[in-house]
Amino acid sequence: MKVTENLIISLYQKIINRAQMKPENFVAAFLVIFAAAIIFAIAAVWFVDPYIRYHRGFGLKEVYRQSEAMMPGVLRNFDFDTVLFGSSVCQNFDLDEINKILHCRSVKATTPGLESETLDKCLELVLKERKGEVKRCLIGADLFCFSRNISPRWKDYHYLYTDDIFIPEYFFSIDSAKAVGEVLESNIKPDKTARFRMMESKMFSNKPGIPYGKKYLEYGVTQLRENRSAMSDDCLTNFENHLYRHIRNNPDVQFDIFLPPYSIYFWCFQVELGELEKMLEYRRRFAEGLQNFPNAVLHDFNADFSICSNLENFKDVSHYSPAVNTEILKKIHSGAVKCDFAQFIRNNESIRSETQKHQAEFDRLRSGAVQPR
Amino acid sequence: MLCDFLSGVEFVLFCSYIFVLLFLPLTVAGYFLLNKIDNRAGRCWLLAASLYFYGYFNTAYLFLLLGSLVFNYFIGFLLYSHRKRWLMIFGIAVNLFLLGYCKYYDFFVENLNSLFGTDFVLKHLMLPLGISFFTFQQISYLSDVFHGELEERYSPLTYALFVTFFPQLVAGPIVLANEMMPQFAKKENSVPNFANLSCGIFVFALGLAKKMLLADNFAPIASALFAAKDPGFMDALSGTFACAMQVYFDFSGYSDMAIGIGLMFNIMLPVNFLSPYKATNIQEFWHTWHITLGRFLTSFIYFPLGGNRKGKIRTYVNLLITFFLSGLWHGASWCFVFWGTLHGVALCIHRIWSKELKLKMAVVPAFIITFLFSWLSQVFAWSRDMSHAFSIYAAFGDFSREKFSGYAELSSNTILLFVVGIILVFFFPSTDSFRRNFIPSKWNLLLAFALLAWSVLSFNKISPFIYFNF
């Protein structure tokens, strides 16, 4: 080891210590280079603004990178009067379709695994910074999002959710440097159209080509392992802190809360886990909390069996095809599955009975007695 | 557990934007600019900056630091004129009481409750940052004054700077009054020395890179093991090795940064870390790992107990006591105590081997044994409790799980990280060697800039220094 140490030191003396400078020149040059690098980093990130923190691109098209990083930027800088919030089950809505059916100008704030803390941050941001502009919030309330067990998505990019003007984490990070590079590269060589589209009408959507249908759903059933996240009474606190308070504090904004359509096998799985009654009870508590808000409308697609029991609509127990999005929008617009609290309780009963009808087939799939085709 | 303090505290770190981009440049610039007007103004500026640095963590503990400072200076002042042993002992006792109360109260009460079935309430005191360091420094000051090793009386300002100088305030090195105070008082040090500034920038960049690019990349691998419920052999191997690397680069990086910053102010801090994993025996290890702590414990524990002057048995007892206390200093838990005592036992064995039996071992096996011991004994320092530590050791014997259990899967980047770590740890010279051979040059400039820039771009994920909370 001494041999290698001495060798390295002598190499260091020969190579690195060449081109000697006066110490004061070293210090001066260092300060100049460092200051120039700081200014360059700030200028590059601010001008390109890959996460749309300050503005939409100056002649540059936005490129999709990370939805949880880009949501606050979209909510600050895009032009809209309607926002769709949701998790992966809401990712594939098309903005042009939303605008056409609901007669609005919309954006999405959807990210896989959206949990209620991030939802809260986004709601806070948009309702404060776009007060008066935002008229309607569509919220795909995936109930698991309100569980405490999911780690908050926003924390990875916490600095983009603040009001701070100067954000060192944004200006001086490897992630931002990569993001700037990707935006510039994509704009110079605009053949990567998918990533542009994911910031236009297909905002935050999955890449196309994902297959849906009964055989994929059945395969998904055989692979089920555990619940996405255990529901507990903590979620009741999250209902209030991360949703109800925004509805209460913004009486001029309409909140269309829709419980997205899970496949009927989702409920069969809850029976297998012994969690069905617990889930139905949390549904009930969720609806109970909403009933007194005049500006909140609840649409219960969990009990829309024209979608849920049609197994061709799904790729797994909870993710439905884009075609279902159109149906959801039309039904939100027409109020076809809009329900008050009394109807909601009846819907719980419907879920029980519909689940019972499909339980045997589900159990056969799970036991391997029936193989997915 | 070594990582227990990782939760919940925001503070100004050397590796933070605010420190590198704002605090450090302003403090250095302000110091030298104000020194042009008046020497004292510059030093006041440095003192204010150091107190601000400390107070940024928690304002309440700033008052504790100031109180400790005033008390010790006053005792020292009295000791200059009345060299009374009882006065020195009183001063040391108050310092130790403060340290003991803040750091060991809950540990003491927990053990009392479990031994005697009592139900005393724990206070869950938040440990004031760096209390061990500034307490030990001031104890050494009182001792030096009493023993006449610090004949010159320094001003309160110089004393305050000695205690609070921010590069070493929260995580060492443990500096001695007679090595620091003359440097603060020296007029030549109040003007910018560009040779020192350039070297300081270079050494700081090296230290920051070690912390951000190496230690912080080993951290997730290490943490994954200690959070795992059922690790296998490969998890234990990679996880414990990653721990050893993380501690090494964290501590080495911090020490380099402290020295680099000190140099910028023309202050030479003592070297605290000299490639300890290259040691060929445990004694050499402790002469190169946390050198100033070893120096302090030798002077204030080992020698007062009699050192090696009271017979063989007493020598071994003294060694065990010293390292028992070293373990206790590192953390208020039986795991740390056990780890420290284990090192004491190893030192006794080394002494018997080399001095009593007068045996010698070839360099390679000696190095392997020493490194294996220092590596594997660290498991106690990282574990939640003794049973957790033993479960990690048991995982080494779990060959039935020859593949990773999923907690520490080695990607190609991770393997590269391990390779780079091994090369730097075992084959590269210490940063001190580079410092001594440093000459300002174009390539050193580019290297310093590249390391600093890459490190700053990695600041996004902040993690504290391991020795921050001792």
Side-chain angles (χ1 to χ4, degrees), chain A residues 325-360:
Chain A
N325 288 333
T326 313
E327 206 174 326
I328 289 174
L329 290 168
K330 285 178 178 169
K331 286 180 174 174
I332 288 176
H333 182 61
S334 67
V337 296
K338 175 176 148 180
C339 60
D340 57 18
F341 187 61
Q343 176 61 44
F344 199 84
I345 300 300
R346 289 193 288 275
N347 286 351
N348 267 5
E349 198 45 52
S350 304
I351 290 173
R352 278 191 195 92
S353 57
E354 188 72 12
T355 303
Q356 229 173 0
K357 289 180 199 167
H358 294 265
Q359 193 68 47

Side-chain angles (χ1 to χ4, degrees), chain B residues 354-371:
Chain B
S354 58
K355 292 205 159 44
E356 307 298 327
L357 301 175
K358 295 196 191 327
L359 293 169
K360 278 190 177 171
M361 193 184 289
V363 168
V364 171
F367 153 73
I368 291 170
I369 291 171
T370 308
F371 175 69

Side-chain angles (χ1 to χ4, degrees), chain B residues 150 174-183 267-268 270 292 295:
Chain B
L150 205 63
I174 301 170
V175 294
L176 300 176
N178 58 16
E179 71 188 349
M180 292 297 290
M181 287 164 80
Q183 293 191 72
I267 302 295
M268 187 62 216
T292 58
R295 179 176 68 176

Side-chain angles (χ1 to χ4, degrees), chain A residues 30 34, chain B residues 20 201-214 424 443-459:
Chain A
F30 178 83
F34 203 64
Chain B
V20 173
I201 289 168
F202 181 76
V203 172
F204 180 78
L206 284 182
L208 190 62
K210 280 187 190 175
K211 165 65 179 166
M212 295 309 305
L213 308 181
L214 293 166
L424 291 174
W443 297 113
N444 276 326
L445 173 67
L446 287 176
L447 180 63
F449 172 74
L451 290 175
L452 206 60
W454 191 3
S455 302
V456 169
L457 290 177
S458 306
F459 276 176

Side-chain angles (χ1 to χ4, degrees), chain B residues 256-272:
Chain B
D256 293 344
M257 278 192 263
I259 289 170
I261 297 171
L263 275 173
M264 292 180 201
F265 291 95
N266 298 323
I267 302 295
M268 187 62 216
L269 291 172
V271 173
N272 206 23

Side-chain angles (χ1 to χ4, degrees), chain B residues 51-76:
Chain B
L51 291 175
Y52 176 81
F53 177 84
Y54 190 77
Y56 196 94
F57 301 104
N58 189 322
T59 321
Y61 292 129
L62 181 61
F63 295 105
L64 184 87
L65 171 66
L66 288 170
S68 170
L69 215 146
V70 167
F71 171 79
N72 282 286
Y73 186 76
F74 177 66
I75 297 292

Side-chain angles (χ1 to χ4, degrees), chain A residues 31-129:
Chain A
L31 291 174
V32 167
I33 294 172
F34 203 64
I38 289 171
I39 293 167
F40 175 76
I42 293 171
V45 172
W46 183 84
F47 183 82
V48 176
D49 204 354
Y51 292 132
I52 330 169
R53 170 63 185 81
Y54 299 100
H55 53 77
R56 295 192 70 173
F58 292 135
L60 294 168
K61 289 173 89 167
E62 290 92 8
V63 173
Y64 172 75
R65 281 198 99 235
Q66 301 273 43
S67 45
E68 66 270 29
M70 303 190 84
M71 287 192 309
V74 164
L75 295 174
R76 280 194 180 96
N77 296 301
F78 276 53
D79 179 38
F80 59 89
D81 58 26
T82 299
V83 187
L84 168 66
F85 296 94
S87 63
S88 55
V89 299
C90 298
Q91 252 179 300
N92 292 318
F93 281 93
D94 187 296
L95 293 179
D96 289 341
E97 202 170 53
I98 297 175
N99 297 344
K100 187 177 162 190
I101 295 171
L102 298 183
H103 310 296
C104 62
R105 290 171 291 123
S106 63
V107 290
K108 280 154 66 178
T110 58
T111 189
L114 177 77
E115 29 51 64
S116 62
E117 207 175 301
T118 304
L119 172 65
D120 175 52
K121 288 283 175 195
C122 291
L123 280 169
E124 177 108 32
L125 195 157
V126 75
L127 293 169
K128 183 177 147 195
E129 294 197 25

